[in-house]
Amino acid sequence: MERFLVPILFVVISLSVVAGGYLLARRRPRPEQARRTLLWTGWIVLLPTASFMALMAIGELMADVGVGAGWGMTIPWILMIATLAVLSLTSPRIAVYLTAAFGAVPIGIATWEAFAPVAHRAWMDEAGPIVLILTYVLVGAASLAALRRPRDAGWTIVAIAGIPMSLQAVTPAGELASSLIIASLSFPAFAAGVAFLLPARKQGPGGG
């Protein structure tokens, strides 16, 4: 039972924060105030896990290949994040389309894992948690686009995080507890997407 504690905590904490944000938003007298409350709720759910993933990935990378080579491999990711962040703030529609297109990569890899778990596991041993990192990079970019296009960003995030998570949960490649732990790491991103969708119910076409 202890093995399932981590995925349960990820799910329960994320759902609790989103539920609390939703109840708080319903108390806001103006729709714009409710929208801002739920946007902040999504960011609060997303940021701790994304920061943890980034620190963990950078630390493991530098421990494996050294500081110099580690930074050399990290800088392209930083440039990608910065580019997507600027695009999300200046041209959110384009940013959402772009993140949705890139989102086909983690979805495709999760589908591959469901049908060829042995080959996928061998590749993951070499590549590391690159799929999870890419997921959070894309979700992070879409979360900034949610500032002006919450509906589009919310659905994009739900798909990018939710589809691989669901595939990992229902087709565990190996021990069930390990698969659920890996799947649960994407749940805060999925919950953030749900939070961004909630205020968009009253928005016009496109969420902006």
Side-chain angles (χ1 to χ4, degrees):
M1 182 63 185
E2 292 80 4
R3 299 289 305 276
F4 295 94
L5 182 60
V6 172
I8 290 173
L9 284 176
F10 269 99
V11 172
V12 170
I13 291 174
S14 299
L15 288 178
S16 298
V17 173
V18 172
Y22 177 68
L23 293 176
L24 183 61
R26 291 191 63 179
R27 292 178 162 280
R28 299 300 187 188
R30 298 179 181 177
E32 185 61 27
Q33 292 176 329
R35 178 175 177 268
R36 283 199 301 267
T37 298
L38 283 161
L39 284 173
W40 276 104
T41 298
W43 291 331
I44 289 170
V45 170
L46 182 62
L47 184 60
T49 307
S51 301
F52 171 75
M53 296 295 172
L55 292 174
M56 180 185 68
I58 292 173
E60 289 187 358
L61 180 63
M62 293 189 178
D64 289 341
V65 303
V67 176
W71 276 115
M73 298 171 69
T74 302
I75 287 174
W77 284 97
I78 294 175
L79 293 175
M80 178 182 178
I81 294 169
T83 301
L84 288 173
V86 171
L87 192 62
S88 295
L89 294 173
T90 57
S91 302
R93 176 180 292 184
I94 296 174
V96 167
Y97 291 156
L98 192 60
T99 53
F102 282 127
V105 175
I107 292 173
I109 293 176
T111 304
W112 175 37
E113 177 184 9
F115 288 97
V118 175
H120 175 270
R121 194 178 305 115
W123 178 77
M124 284 292 292
D125 289 341
E126 295 292 330
I130 189 170
V131 176
L132 191 60
I133 295 170
L134 179 59
T135 297
Y136 270 91
V137 167
L138 297 175
V139 168
S143 74
L144 294 177
L147 186 63
R148 290 165 58 187
R149 303 190 68 83
R151 179 188 301 168
D152 296 340
W155 282 120
T156 300
I157 291 171
V158 164
I160 292 174
I163 294 175
M165 179 181 66
S166 301
L167 287 171
Q168 289 168 339
V170 301
T171 59
E175 189 180 3
L176 177 61
S178 298
S179 296
L180 290 178
I181 290 173
I182 295 172
S184 70
L185 294 176
S186 298
F187 194 86
F190 174 81
V194 172
F196 296 143
L197 281 171
L198 291 174
R201 297 300 182 187
K202 295 182 180 180
Q203 301 293 317

